[in-house]
Amino acid sequence: LLTHMPYVVPFDTRASLFRALVSMDHAEIQSAASSSLFHGGYSRGISAKVRRSHMLEDGLVAYGKLHGADFKQDFYIQFYDDFGMREWGVDGGGLFKEFVVSIVREAFNPSNQVFWETADHLLYPNASSSARQSHSLNLYNFLGRLVGKSLYSNILIDAQFALFFLSKVLGHQSQFDDLKSLDKEIYDGLVSLKRYENDVESDFGLTFAVSSLQPNTSSVVTIDLIPGGSDINVTRDNRFRYIELMCNHKLNVELSPQTRAFRQGLYEMIPQRWLRLFADPHELQMLISGKSAEIDVNDMEANTVYGNEYNRNHPVIEMFWNVVRNRLTSAERRKLVQFITSCERPPLMGFSELRPSIQIVPDHAANTSRLPTASTCVNQLRLPVYTAEDVMYQKLRRAILSGAGFDLS
């Protein structure tokens, strides 16, 4: 029932079921790993040395050849700087989160040309022919596994995908209206062609070919939609065939290999039958990056822990929550959550689901003129012992809006 009619059950209930399925699967993986260790097999977890300046490259080398259950094992990251010096710290899960967040930031940055973005700044795979080469498809498969690993590990990532892409990831057939979210200009042009009542051939001047300017280049590529298409004019009689072919080319021919590779990687981590709990691409997006909703300050406060002399009744902490609740705007509260956790959206089931919990500790090394800092790998906010609320408000706001004070541990 859930896989065929998921909407009859509230989303939160399905999300809880999904997390339960993941937990059971992870327990089985860990049990198998423990048994292997007991019988002289490999140790639990897989370690990797990663240079911060080559995060995606080193991650692909370390984990790119792992598939299935091996990719579900715990990953332990050792960070190295550009001089080959290992950074201090033992990975208890936080460094892996930082690894994932950093790779996502790099791989899904449109300037790196692995993913492009729509006019609405939503992500979809690079549609050029180079992205359909084997080495590129291996990368898309790895990124699919990594997004699946994020879902499996309950790590929200800050990547907003185009709905037509997520629909294809879920295994749905592309529809004409999907083209609207990919390229509204082409979509509107095809709608106009479909409805046109006058001389299509002379007024539109189209042939059964498509020409496109490759992003960040000056080269134009022309591809026939049918054999000899460049010499076949689009007319009133054949325009619907042209619309069908153009839509298929943009949504399938250009994107299917990349999408298929990404989807296969994702399914290695999250079986398709589990994803069928979320048949709507909007829901899959929420699963990946959290709900686009107001920050529930009461929930956030109730699930925050404190370190050293800080506690819920400490004057600095009382001042902090008053600033968050009454002085920060909704957008600034989201920036605060992003500053601490790396993702501005709250967890699907509330802050009680966040692992580790948000922690606020005093920063004795900084005087009250310094900005707060954060370690997103462990969801920790280091808050100087401010004595005036106005000062705290100004410093906190500056830190979260500029990204200043960001720190890794």
Side-chain angles (χ1 to χ4, degrees), residues 48-49 94 105 132 137 145 158 188 201 208 239 242 246 254 286 293 327 346 350:
K49 298 178 180 179
R105 187 182 298 121
R132 297 190 287 276
L137 296 180
R145 277 176 280 149
D158 192 15
D188 289 342
E201 185 172 355
F208 276 77
R239 57 180 166 166
Y242 171 81
M246 176 63 84
E254 289 188 337
M286 284 195 292
R327 301 190 66 172

Side-chain angles (χ1 to χ4, degrees), residues 96-241:
F96 167 68
K97 177 191 172 185
E98 196 63 42
F99 168 75
V100 170
V101 169
S102 298
I103 286 187
V104 165
R105 187 182 298 121
E106 179 180 350
F108 296 132
N109 185 336
S111 66
N112 292 327
Q113 294 293 296
V114 180
F115 276 72
W116 291 350
E117 63 178 0
T118 67
D120 296 326
H121 305 294
L122 301 175
L123 298 166
Y124 67 98
N126 182 322
S128 66
S129 58
S130 62
R132 297 190 287 276
Q133 302 301 315
S134 60
H135 66 279
S136 295
L137 296 180
N138 288 336
L139 176 58
Y140 286 114
N141 183 275
F142 173 72
L143 293 176
R145 277 176 280 149
L146 194 67
V147 171
K149 179 83 168 175
S150 301
L151 291 171
Y152 195 82
S153 304
N154 201 19
I155 296 175
L156 297 180
I157 60 175
D158 192 15
Q160 297 296 304
F161 296 102
L163 293 181
F164 75 86
F165 171 64
L166 291 181
S167 183
K168 291 171 74 68
V169 167
L170 287 170
H172 300 165
Q173 291 293 322
S174 296
Q175 304 295 325
F176 174 69
D177 285 342
D178 290 335
L179 187 59
K180 186 176 182 179
S181 63
L182 171 61
D183 192 320
K184 190 174 185 301
E185 184 177 350
I186 291 179
Y187 174 82
D188 289 342
L190 293 179
V191 170
S192 296
L193 175 63
K194 180 180 179 180
R195 298 173 178 172
Y196 200 66
E197 297 295 334
N198 297 318
D199 189 340
V200 168
E201 185 172 355
S202 61
D203 292 347
F204 279 80
L206 296 170
T207 64
F208 276 77
V210 55
S211 298
S212 62
L213 178 67
Q214 298 299 294
N216 298 330
T217 73
S218 58
S219 61
V220 175
V221 178
T222 300
I223 300 173
D224 288 344
L225 297 175
I226 56 176
S230 298
D231 300 318
I232 301 174
N233 294 328
V234 177
T235 67
R236 181 179 176 85
D237 292 334
N238 64 21
R239 57 180 166 166
F240 294 108
R241 177 59 174 159

